[in-house]
Amino acid sequence: MSIQIVSSEIDVEACRKSAAADAAGAVVVFVGAVRDNTKGREVVRLEYEAYVPMAIKVLGQICERAESMFGLLKITVHHRIGILNVGDTAVAIAVSAPHRKAAFDGCQFIIDELKKDVPIWKKECFTDGEAWLTDRP
Amino acid sequence: MSIQIVSSEIDVEACRKSAAADAAGAVVVFVGAVRDNTKGREVVRLEYEAYVPMAIKVLGQICERAESMFGLLKITVHHRIGILNVGDTAVAIAVSAPHRKAAFDGCQFIIDELKKDVPIWKKECFTDGEAWLTDRP
Amino acid sequence: MHIQLFCFGQVKEAIGANLVDFECDEGDSVKALKMKLLNVYGGLKEVPDFRFAVNQEYVGEDYELSENDEVAIIPPVSGG
Amino acid sequence: MHIQLFCFGQVKEAIGANLVDFECDEGDSVKALKMKLLNVYGGLKEVPDFRFAVNQEYVGEDYELSENDEVAIIPPVSGG
């Protein structure tokens, strides 16, 4: 299990490779990227901040639950903080499992739980103002 | 939309990048890899063959349905044929969408339909024999 | 009437070739072709649930064949 | 009794710092701390549904605080 909060660019390919395993028939990778708009408002950049030690701890708990619920073989989660521009990768989650359903379900579980409970926040900077994101997607 | 049946190694990172889009908040990548065993029997290698023109046609139809059903932005599907060894990538599917649920559902739909209807076959070569795979996973 | 028959996987091994020219009668349905094939290639009986495609589209057993159709026998697929 | 208070996002902007030393009473619950904070930092009333974590674990409002606890006020998260 590899869990990191980083302030530089995320290497998605390295995340994917680190989740590979000989017993894995399926690897699923989720990449969360900075969209060019939120409900039609043009996004200039995002600013992410995290309560880093707690974020790593909560992510670890989520990944352990995912591992046992879905029988995942390997899990890698890298989340970036700091200033991100449109197209940048904010988070990459790579999981492997013997079969595809477990890999899809496990990967989706991790990003869903991350968005509920991991202490990371983004402020959206628009062409016409800025706002901390508060509504759950 | 990029659909290819190839006989050399699949570049998963290139597939992922080709599915990126400024309006995409989510990219989901599925990688189907050769497992080291099938129900406990040790796998030495797989041999894939395809009815290539029809496989491309049916994949195109599946991807068009996925695009309209889930509102996907971009789709890339590369499937390899020939002899594959343990750990090799047999198929990579990368899709992007504004939000993550559509990306997960769309990606899973494509691999599920691929396994039902796309004319591609694999023969599993074990340490103790070989067999065309016939039971649906 | 002359059709091209593409064979894959188990079907290819049952028939012993991946492309055969096959003679059938004007207006034969896919079902009629299937009966004829099972008569000529007994090994096909071992293949579970094969489907037919004509000109690269799946067709039902009522589909009526035409001269020079590209017919494929599709054993259970296992891509991915 | 002395606690460390970590503030993030909207909470940080409402309180004006990302780390403050805060005095509360021996045996105060998180609920009691919350009331005191709302009195001192009126801006917190604008933050929707914040939670508390103590020593990097979410806790309920009944949680009883101890000297030197690391307390964090967690506004709605938005990672990913």
Side-chain angles (χ1 to χ4, degrees):
Chain A
M1 200 180 290
S2 159
I3 293 170
Q4 290 181 29
I5 309 284
V6 299
S7 53
S8 54
E9 218 175 303
I10 293 174
D11 183 341
V12 179
E13 182 65 353
C15 292
R16 181 183 75 81
K17 284 187 170 156
S18 74
D22 276 357
V27 178
V28 169
V29 182
F30 171 79
V31 176
V34 178
R35 261 197 318 275
D36 61 6
N37 77 90
T38 290
K39 290 165 189 158
R41 252 177 117 185
E42 193 185 332
V43 169
V44 179
R45 65 175 189 281
L46 294 189
E47 293 176 21
Y48 279 87
E49 66 177 57
Y51 181 20
V52 175
M54 181 171 168
I56 288 174
K57 194 167 175 178
V58 176
L59 267 175
Q61 291 161 347
I62 291 169
C63 290
E64 274 165 26
R65 277 160 65 208
E67 197 170 54
S68 72
M69 283 170 70
F70 302 101
L72 301 182
L73 297 167
K74 287 195 183 171
I75 305 175
T76 295
V77 181
H78 289 191
H79 200 300
R80 184 171 171 187
I81 54 176
I83 294 177
L84 276 74
N85 297 305
V86 171
D88 282 350
T89 296
V91 61
I93 301 173
V95 310
S96 58
H99 298 280
R100 71 187 186 283
K101 190 171 186 318
F104 275 111
D105 290 351
C107 188
Q108 198 160 6
F109 175 83
I110 293 169
I111 181 64
D112 286 351
E113 294 298 305
L114 184 158
K115 286 183 172 264
K116 275 192 282 191
D117 282 334
V118 176
I120 301 176
W121 298 270
K122 60 169 159 263
K123 181 192 262 184
E124 296 187 304
C125 304
F126 301 105
T127 45
D128 57 350
E130 56 182 48
W132 290 97
L133 208 77
T134 53
D135 52 342
R136 311 271 165 78
Chain B
M1 201 180 287
S2 159
I3 294 171
Q4 290 181 27
I5 309 285
V6 300
S7 53
S8 54
E9 218 174 302
I10 292 174
D11 183 342
V12 178
E13 182 66 352
C15 291
R16 181 183 75 79
K17 284 188 170 157
S18 74
D22 276 358
V27 178
V28 170
V29 182
F30 170 79
V31 176
V34 178
R35 262 197 318 273
D36 61 6
N37 77 90
T38 291
K39 290 164 189 159
R41 253 176 118 185
E42 193 185 333
V43 169
V44 179
R45 66 175 188 283
L46 293 189
E47 293 177 21
Y48 279 86
E49 67 177 54
Y51 181 18
V52 176
M54 181 170 167
I56 289 174
K57 194 167 174 178
V58 175
L59 268 173
Q61 291 161 348
I62 291 169
C63 291
E64 274 166 26
R65 278 160 64 209
E67 197 170 53
S68 71
M69 283 170 71
F70 302 101
L72 301 182
L73 297 167
K74 287 195 183 172
I75 305 176
T76 295
V77 181
H78 289 190
H79 200 300
R80 182 171 172 187
I81 54 175
I83 295 177
L84 277 74
N85 297 306
V86 171
D88 282 350
T89 297
V91 61
I93 301 173
V95 309
S96 58
H99 298 281
R100 70 187 185 283
K101 189 170 187 318
F104 275 111
D105 290 350
C107 189
Q108 200 160 4
F109 174 83
I110 293 169
I111 181 64
D112 286 351
E113 294 298 304
L114 184 158
K115 286 184 172 264
K116 276 192 281 192
D117 283 335
V118 176
I120 299 175
W121 299 269
K122 59 170 159 259
K123 181 192 262 182
E124 296 188 304
C125 304
F126 302 104
T127 45
D128 56 351
E130 57 182 47
W132 290 97
L133 208 76
T134 54
D135 52 342
R136 311 270 165 78
Chain C
M1 178 178 85
H2 181 88
I3 59 162
Q4 280 191 297
L5 203 56
F6 285 78
C7 308
F8 301 94
Q10 293 163 282
V11 170
K12 182 179 68 185
E13 293 182 356
I15 287 184
N18 72 340
L19 178 57
V20 293
D21 289 324
F22 198 78
E23 282 299 314
C24 54
D25 294 313
E26 201 70 37
D28 263 359
S29 65
V30 160
K31 184 171 193 155
L33 171 65
K34 187 177 176 179
M35 301 311 290
K36 287 176 182 173
L37 286 169
L38 285 167
N39 274 333
V40 179
Y41 304 106
L44 268 185
K45 296 189 183 94
E46 308 301 316
V47 180
D49 304 322
F50 52 83
R51 290 183 276 182
F52 286 86
V54 176
N55 303 326
Q56 302 163 20
E57 296 271 4
Y58 288 110
V59 294
E61 298 215 327
D62 293 336
Y63 185 93
E64 213 173 273
L65 296 165
S66 307
E67 177 81 27
N68 293 322
D69 267 347
E70 179 183 314
V71 180
I73 314 179
I74 312 282
V77 301
S78 52
Chain D
M1 176 177 87
H2 181 89
I3 59 163
Q4 280 190 296
L5 202 57
F6 285 77
C7 308
F8 302 94
Q10 293 163 281
V11 169
K12 182 180 65 185
E13 293 182 357
I15 287 184
N18 72 340
L19 179 57
V20 293
D21 290 323
F22 198 79
E23 283 299 315
C24 53
D25 295 313
E26 201 72 35
D28 263 1
S29 65
V30 162
K31 186 173 191 149
L33 170 65
K34 186 178 177 178
M35 302 309 292
K36 289 176 183 174
L37 287 169
L38 286 167
N39 275 334
V40 179
Y41 304 105
L44 268 185
K45 296 189 183 94
E46 309 300 317
V47 180
D49 303 323
F50 52 84
R51 290 183 275 183
F52 286 86
V54 176
N55 303 326
Q56 303 163 19
E57 296 271 3
Y58 288 111
V59 294
E61 298 215 326
D62 293 337
Y63 185 92
E64 212 172 275
L65 296 165
S66 307
E67 178 80 27
N68 292 323
D69 268 346
E70 178 183 314
V71 180
I73 314 179
I74 312 282
V77 301
S78 53

